[in-house]
Amino acid sequence: MNGVLSILVFLPLAGAAAVALVPGRRQGTIRAVAFAVTLLLFLSSLPLAFRFQGTGGFEFEECVPWIPGIGVDYHVGVDGISVFLVLLTTFLAPLVYLSTWSGIREKVKEFSILYLLLHTGMIGAFVAVDLFLFYVFWELMLIPMVFLIGVWGGERRIYAAVKFLLYTVVGSLLMLVAILVLAREAHSFDYLRILNTPVPHGMQAFLFAAFALAFAIKVPIFPLHTWLPDAHVEAPAAGSALLAGVLLKMGTYGFLRFAIPLFPETARAAAPLFTVLALVGIVYGALVAMVQEDIKKLVAYSSVSHLGFVVLGLFAFNDAGVRGAIFVMLAHGLSTGALFLLVGQVYERRHSRRIDDFGGIARSMPLFSTLFLIVTLASIGLPGLSGFVGEFLVLLGAFQAGPARAAVGALGVVLGAVYMLWMVRRVFFGPLDREENRALPDLSLRDFLVILPLIAGMVFLGVRPAPLLDRMETSVRRHLEIIGVEERVETTDRHAAGERTVFRFLAPPDGEEPEREGEGEEVSPCR
């Protein structure tokens, strides 16, 4: 089914143009148009959910020459790695925008335009199968997010926006240099052609480092995480939700799509380093979150810990680890996005995020407290909710790669439960001894409708993960084949009912680079 991805990429752009035509004083019309565009965006993405086959190759593919003189094509497609990230983006789009109804009261027109442009950038980056096109969308994401933080953020918004900008630009420029080098070798920017073009051995380390730095900053991986708490704390609630829900996934997606498969030998050599950094991030993020007095900052540091699980799974280089990493991306997008929205809702009422300013508000805000507790349980990985499946698979993959790393990762799970439940106890339970908290209004219908679909998504992922995991399987196996890690997934009689056993991966001998499938062939449909 052609055309779907182009609709998803350019519909927000067209919506931004439509919003620009509405006079700024007509805020109600602006909100209605922007919300309708985001809702239409989600509905337009449903064919991906129902018609995606999971063949392992790119589906819904479109490719037309864009700048033939330098080998740049408009080439888009989705596989089992990217399709669910696109759906996560379109699913969050109307819900997060609806949450801004009461929180964003100034410059609504400008906010709505930037919000829609941000979605063009995010979706475009996920579906790009041309490195030049990917870089264009990667940079397009940066500009709206900087303005969302810098204009509608808190007191230190300028500092946070500049810090976010500097970190991202430094990594992006190095990645651009690496992309140009790869394009020179392949005589094209097409991802599939570059993937099938041998990279000179002496250049792999530099090129991998350039890509890895850009993506490590975006994840962010310890110790490149320092921009994240500032950006989260100063951004408006909607900005934090999108930052946690989608933008952070760009880094881990970049590792999975580009850095690892394009430079497999270097990636395997660097795996111990990234595994250690991931484990440090898991434990460090949890420990720092534990001592935070600001709820939003606590949730921000929890992202450092959760994204550490994703990196741990990616560099385990086995089926369970990689599929678990993708699943954690989706689960984190729902639960942490919801947490930031909930924090924004209570901030609108109390004008404080300090944990000490609360206590006992489960009595004054029972519905809010119930939803917050459910989302918290999903975030810490309670079985039956979204967080459990991904973290379990990542730990399984980590155990297969080395039991010690799984033990440290499990410690992060325990610490995560400690700091989140301790925060819940201090905020929602105990005596309701502050007068300001007694009169806090509970959730409005609109606030409830923002959170309810997110919780439904968490329950669905927790109860029925198989439809997603099955559709990832072929793409993940191809990813493992490309990087030279063989994964045997066999079905026995017992597994005929749907169960599968993941066997320990078999790595090739040191220094032996496996031949890439289809090496030297032009496989882009544009050529």
Side-chain angles (χ1 to χ4, degrees):
M1 187 175 182
N2 291 327
V4 172
L5 298 183
S6 290
I7 291 173
L8 298 182
V9 171
F10 294 111
L11 180 60
L13 186 63
V19 170
L21 297 176
V22 181
R25 65 180 183 281
R26 300 178 63 179
Q27 292 191 358
T29 304
I30 291 170
R31 292 185 196 278
V33 170
F35 179 69
V37 170
T38 58
L39 193 58
L40 185 59
L41 180 70
F42 170 64
L43 295 175
S44 301
S45 70
L46 290 180
L48 300 184
F50 296 111
R51 299 187 182 182
F52 179 77
Q53 300 297 315
T55 60
F58 286 102
E59 301 179 34
F60 297 89
E61 202 170 4
E62 302 168 44
C63 189
V64 294
W66 180 19
I67 313 175
I70 58 173
V72 175
D73 303 319
Y74 173 77
H75 188 184
V76 294
V78 288
D79 63 358
I81 293 172
S82 58
V83 65
F84 298 110
L85 295 171
V86 174
L87 288 169
L88 173 67
T89 307
T90 61
F91 180 62
L92 290 175
L95 300 175
V96 174
Y97 187 80
L98 189 61
S99 75
T100 68
W101 228 262
S102 55
I104 303 297
R105 299 180 182 277
E106 298 179 357
K107 300 183 176 67
V108 174
K109 178 177 178 178
E110 291 81 358
F111 177 87
S112 301
I113 291 173
L114 291 169
Y115 185 88
L116 293 171
L117 289 177
L118 179 61
H119 281 77
T120 286
M122 293 189 296
I123 296 172
F126 281 136
V127 303
V129 193
D130 181 284
L131 267 66
F132 184 89
L133 190 64
F134 169 77
Y135 188 79
V136 169
F137 286 124
W138 176 274
E139 290 297 301
L140 183 60
M141 285 186 304
L142 173 63
I143 300 168
M145 197 65 216
V146 168
F147 278 100
L148 289 179
I149 297 172
V151 176
W152 290 273
E155 293 181 358
R156 299 174 68 243
R157 58 185 180 275
I158 301 299
Y159 167 77
V162 171
K163 193 172 181 180
F164 172 72
L165 178 66
L166 290 177
Y167 267 72
T168 307
V169 165
V170 169
S172 298
L173 291 177
L174 288 174
M175 182 172 68
L176 176 60
V177 174
I179 289 174
L180 293 174
V181 173
L182 287 174
R184 186 189 63 182
E185 294 294 323
H187 307 291
S188 171
F189 286 89
D190 189 89
Y191 171 72
L192 295 176
R193 184 163 177 172
I194 290 175
L195 191 63
N196 292 321
T197 301
V199 179
H201 184 78
M203 297 172 60
Q204 277 208 20
F206 164 74
L207 298 177
F208 174 81
F211 273 91
L213 179 63
F215 299 141
I217 290 173
K218 191 69 97 177
V219 172
I221 292 177
F222 176 89
L224 301 171
H225 66 283
T226 59
W227 64 267
L228 182 66
D230 292 318
H232 267 313
V233 170
E234 299 304 324
S240 295
L242 285 182
L243 192 60
V246 181
L247 281 174
L248 300 188
K249 313 303 179 297
M250 289 296 169
T252 47
Y253 172 76
F255 273 106
L256 190 56
R257 171 68 71 209
F258 299 106
I260 294 175
L262 289 178
F263 318 104
E265 187 178 357
T266 307
R268 290 201 303 272
L273 171 64
F274 281 96
T275 299
V276 170
L277 294 178
L279 292 172
V280 171
I282 290 171
V283 176
Y284 170 82
L287 291 175
V288 177
M290 201 173 296
V291 299
Q292 297 304 314
E293 290 299 325
D294 184 314
I295 305 173
K296 201 174 184 184
K297 209 165 187 175
L298 183 151
V299 178
Y301 274 106
S302 78
S303 289
V304 176
S305 187
H306 283 294
L307 270 297
F309 278 99
V310 179
V311 177
L312 181 65
L314 294 182
F315 282 91
F317 290 153
N318 54 44
D319 180 75
V322 176
R323 277 199 277 178
I326 299 172
F327 209 92
V328 171
M329 290 189 222
L330 303 174
H332 178 264
L334 292 177
S335 61
T336 306
L339 282 173
F340 278 118
L341 293 178
L342 287 164
V343 172
Q345 290 171 352
V346 77
Y347 181 78
E348 288 178 15
R349 291 159 171 76
R350 184 64 171 81
H351 303 293
S352 174
R353 297 189 301 260
R354 285 182 52 81
I355 295 175
D356 289 344
D357 289 340
F358 295 95
I361 66 169
R363 299 176 189 174
S364 55
M365 303 178 69
L367 179 58
F368 173 83
S369 305
T370 302
L371 298 186
F372 199 104
L373 180 59
I374 295 172
V375 175
T376 298
L377 294 176
S379 178
I380 64 177
L382 185 77
L385 295 172
S386 55
F388 173 76
V389 178
E391 290 186 352
F392 174 80
L393 286 174
V394 166
L395 291 177
L396 176 62
F399 186 83
Q400 292 173 342
R405 66 183 74 179
V408 178
L411 173 64
V413 176
V414 175
L415 292 175
V418 170
Y419 68 74
M420 289 299 292
L421 293 178
W422 189 29
M423 179 267 289
V424 166
R425 186 188 69 80
R426 289 185 290 167
V427 171
F428 296 99
F429 301 105
L432 184 60
D433 52 5
R434 289 181 179 271
E435 193 60 36
E436 305 94 309
N437 295 334
R438 296 179 187 277
L440 287 177
D442 209 343
L443 293 184
S444 65
L445 178 60
R446 185 181 64 242
D447 293 335
F448 178 69
L449 292 177
V450 167
I451 303 300
L452 185 62
L454 294 172
I455 291 180
M458 295 171 212
V459 174
F460 176 76
L461 291 186
V463 176
R464 289 280 295 160
L468 283 77
L469 294 172
D470 289 347
R471 293 181 186 184
M472 295 173 193
E473 181 177 2
T474 311
S475 293
V476 170
R477 293 186 68 176
R478 292 191 65 175
H479 167 79
L480 295 173
E481 290 170 7
I482 289 171
I483 62 176
V485 179
E486 248 186 326
E487 179 80 9
R488 294 177 57 205
V489 182
E490 296 184 354
T491 303
T492 67
D493 292 338
R494 182 169 61 87
H495 305 136
E499 294 182 65
R500 288 183 182 274
T501 296
V502 179
F503 291 83
R504 193 171 69 84
F505 70 89
L506 300 172
D510 290 343
E512 182 178 326
E513 181 67 13
E515 184 178 352
R516 297 186 187 185
E517 186 178 356
E519 192 168 58
E521 298 178 358
E522 291 187 23
V523 291
S524 168
C526 287
R527 305 296 175 190

